[in-house]
Amino acid sequence: QVQLVESGGGLVPPGGSLRLSCAASGLIFSSHGMSWYRQAPGKERELVARITTGSNTNYADSVKGRFTISRDNAKNTVYLQMNSLKPEDTAVYYCNAYFDLSYRTYNYWGQGTQVTVSS
């Protein structure tokens, strides 16, 4: 079974930093691209950051320059370093693993971890 377990969320003051971790099991981690999504109350889920199997990255414009996604294949873990946090970053953050085939894309999701940016 595939499991993605997020950790590291919490309450942070504006301008603060937080590092999220996502530990993956039950899959060939190095064969999967990894992403972080977030969903704020009343808003649609949005892609925050993505890192490919080749460690190429892309970010939502709203977090570019503040967030960094990275992966450690030896630990089957993907990270999201979040700096200069803003109240609008408040959301549940979800870890995603994806595997593309010609006929199907596999997507796996973690349970989410709450990030609250507030003084």
Side-chain angles (χ1 to χ4, degrees):
Q1 73 282 20
V2 175
Q3 285 192 301
L4 304 176
V5 181
E6 300 100 329
S7 61
L11 177 63
V12 192
S17 296
L18 207 60
R19 189 179 77 157
L20 306 183
S21 299
C22 172
S25 61
L27 78 171
I28 307 298
F29 183 79
S30 61
S31 296
H32 288 72
M34 302 295 298
S35 301
W36 288 96
Y37 288 77
R38 68 186 181 189
Q39 187 166 26
K43 297 183 67 178
E44 296 294 320
R45 181 184 63 189
E46 66 170 337
L47 176 66
V48 176
R50 173 162 284 161
I51 184 165
T52 69
T53 57
S55 293
N56 293 315
T57 60
N58 53 76
Y59 300 90
D61 288 341
S62 58
V63 309
K64 199 169 298 180
R66 300 187 297 120
F67 290 11
T68 302
I69 189 171
S70 61
R71 64 190 296 157
D72 187 338
N73 287 348
K75 296 181 179 180
N76 285 7
T77 301
V78 64
Y79 305 94
L80 185 67
Q81 178 66 47
M82 305 185 294
N83 298 325
S84 302
L85 283 161
K86 306 174 180 179
E88 49 263 47
D89 295 318
T90 296
V92 177
Y93 284 70
Y94 296 94
C95 180
N96 162 261
Y98 65 93
F99 185 79
D100 270 323
L101 299 171
S102 61
Y103 57 92
R104 180 178 176 182
T105 298
Y106 291 82
N107 275 285
Y108 305 99
W109 297 91
Q111 80 288 349
T113 186
Q114 177 70 48
V115 172
T116 302
V117 184
S118 176
S119 57

